[in-house]
Amino acid sequence: MAKWGQGDPRWIVEERADATNVNNWHWTERDATSWSKRKLKEVLEGLVVEGEAGRCEIGDLKHVEGEASCNSRKGKLIFFYEWNLRLSWKGTVKESGEKHKGSVEIPNLSEENEVDDTEINVSKKKGEGDALKDLMRTEGTTKVREALRDYLKALKTEFTLGMILPTKAPVGQELAMERKPSGSTVQDSVTAQSLDMVGVKIPTVRIHMREVFNSPADELYSIFTKKEVPSQRIVLKWRCRSWPDEHYATVALNFQELAAQSELELECKGVPVSHEESTRQCWKKQYFEEIHILLQQSKDNME
């Protein structure tokens, strides 16, 4: 069942305690943003860095901006995270006892890069004490990377407990969708008329995209909603968290059979002008490419 309202810019289906996500077929999402902020604070603050030059300690997590989530599809966990972090540090020179302080910035911790490739910048306030800065750039960076690995390990183990639901459920537990005379399907809690009224008044554009998948149309359709209710069209409201508050776009997904393949046509109305390209990339990389991977994995498992 497609989840309505706020959500990450990826497909979301509802995770239910009564195991309606039968066989873990549907794409379920759990928001890890708040949990991640607490965990990042826990693993980074208080780190001690010692060397011949002196002793330094990581202080407060001054700035934490971004989001994280974990998605489950057919028993596979997929992680999305993107963080911009800034930490304070202070240290004491071993020989002179002078005290210095500065900051550590991590501008882009994301699933697109390995931790070893993630940029970490160390700076120090004006004055002497470059030896401490060098210590933080070497040993300090190593300590920070270790802490980031601890965060990611916890994200993939501790946070995901319970995300893979039971694979068996009584027949008929899945909720039905309302079928419209036009052949389109929308959630029974939201009508097509209400979708047009959602949003704030900002300049917007319409996005139109097409993608061909190596699967029958009904299998592709079932990734987005009910496998047991095949149809050709889904209409819903959708937004990225980076968009203005309370602003939603109207998304129409049309599925067309093409012999052994199927074509998905996407029309997204109401996309903020400044987010046009990022929204296109979101659908291409975080929906279409992931679905291609999932369909291939499904085919490999059947073989």
Side-chain angles (χ1 to χ4, degrees):
M1 178 177 176
K3 179 184 280 187
W4 295 92
Q6 295 183 351
D8 220 355
R10 303 135 194 146
W11 202 259
I12 304 171
V13 274
E14 185 176 19
E15 178 183 357
R16 295 172 55 93
D18 57 1
T20 57
N21 189 12
V22 179
N23 295 322
N24 298 294
W25 177 270
H26 297 304
W27 192 314
T28 62
E29 177 178 282
R30 180 181 292 179
D31 187 352
T33 302
S34 296
W35 178 91
S36 292
K37 289 180 179 180
R38 293 192 297 270
K39 180 58 69 172
L40 286 166
K41 188 179 181 70
E42 174 186 319
V43 299
L44 288 167
E45 291 187 351
L47 288 177
V48 174
V49 183
E50 292 184 293
E52 293 183 0
R55 183 182 187 277
C56 298
E57 181 176 340
I58 299 289
D60 295 336
L61 183 56
K62 296 286 189 180
H63 175 81
V64 52
E65 180 182 18
E67 60 184 355
S69 64
C70 178
N71 299 278
S72 170
R73 172 71 171 93
K74 295 184 72 175
K76 177 186 176 183
L77 296 176
I78 304 171
F79 299 90
F80 299 96
Y81 52 91
E82 185 172 7
W83 295 105
N84 184 328
L85 309 172
R86 186 174 71 252
L87 301 135
S88 64
W89 67 266
K90 60 183 178 180
T92 304
V93 179
K94 187 175 184 180
E95 293 184 356
S96 65
E98 292 180 353
K99 298 184 181 298
H100 299 276
K101 54 186 178 180
S103 63
V104 178
E105 294 190 7
I106 307 167
N108 186 26
L109 173 65
S110 73
E111 77 279 354
E112 297 180 356
N113 302 305
E114 297 292 336
V115 172
D116 287 341
D117 298 325
T118 299
E119 182 180 359
I120 299 178
N121 301 316
V122 176
S123 62
K124 184 186 70 65
K125 291 195 173 182
K126 292 182 179 180
E128 298 180 357
D130 287 340
L132 291 182
K133 182 179 178 181
D134 291 339
L135 176 63
M136 286 299 299
R137 281 179 170 175
T138 54
E139 298 299 325
T141 295
T142 299
K143 289 269 190 177
V144 169
R145 292 193 194 280
E146 291 175 355
L148 295 179
R149 291 190 189 95
D150 289 341
Y151 155 67
L152 294 178
K153 181 179 179 180
L155 175 65
K156 297 176 181 181
T157 55
E158 175 186 328
F159 177 77
T160 59
L161 293 176
M163 282 201 69
I164 303 300
L165 302 178
T167 57
K168 294 183 179 180
V171 176
Q173 275 193 344
E174 295 233 12
L175 301 179
M177 296 180 68
E178 179 182 359
R179 184 177 296 277
K180 298 296 180 182
S182 63
S184 66
T185 58
V186 297
Q187 291 295 335
D188 52 3
S189 60
V190 181
T191 65
Q193 289 81 6
S194 68
L195 292 176
D196 293 334
M197 299 171 62
V198 176
V200 295
K201 292 183 178 180
I202 59 174
T204 63
V205 295
R206 177 184 300 187
I207 287 178
H208 188 262
M209 302 174 69
R210 293 177 184 271
E211 186 80 7
V212 175
F213 295 90
N214 292 320
S215 73
D218 59 347
E219 182 179 0
L220 179 60
Y221 178 91
S222 68
I223 289 177
F224 290 89
T225 182
K226 298 293 176 292
K227 183 179 180 181
E228 295 78 5
V229 189
S231 186
Q232 296 178 329
R233 181 176 172 84
I234 297 174
V235 180
L236 70 154
K237 65 176 182 176
W238 179 90
R239 75 184 299 272
C240 288
R241 284 191 180 137
S242 59
W243 290 3
D245 292 343
E246 304 303 324
H247 181 81
Y248 292 83
T250 301
V251 172
L253 300 171
N254 295 287
F255 304 84
Q256 182 178 354
E257 198 79 51
L258 300 175
Q261 296 180 314
S262 58
E263 180 183 69
L264 171 60
E265 179 184 15
L266 163 73
E267 183 180 52
C268 189
K269 296 166 57 179
V271 176
V273 171
S274 60
H275 293 264
E276 178 180 1
E277 184 56 32
S278 63
T279 302
R280 288 182 182 276
Q281 290 302 312
C282 168
W283 278 95
K284 181 173 179 60
K285 294 183 178 296
Q286 297 178 3
Y287 285 86
F288 296 165
E289 290 184 7
E290 289 294 338
I291 291 173
H292 278 298
I293 294 172
L294 291 169
L295 289 172
Q296 184 59 50
Q297 289 177 339
S298 177
K299 184 179 296 185
D300 293 343
N301 291 336
M302 292 179 63
E303 294 175 354

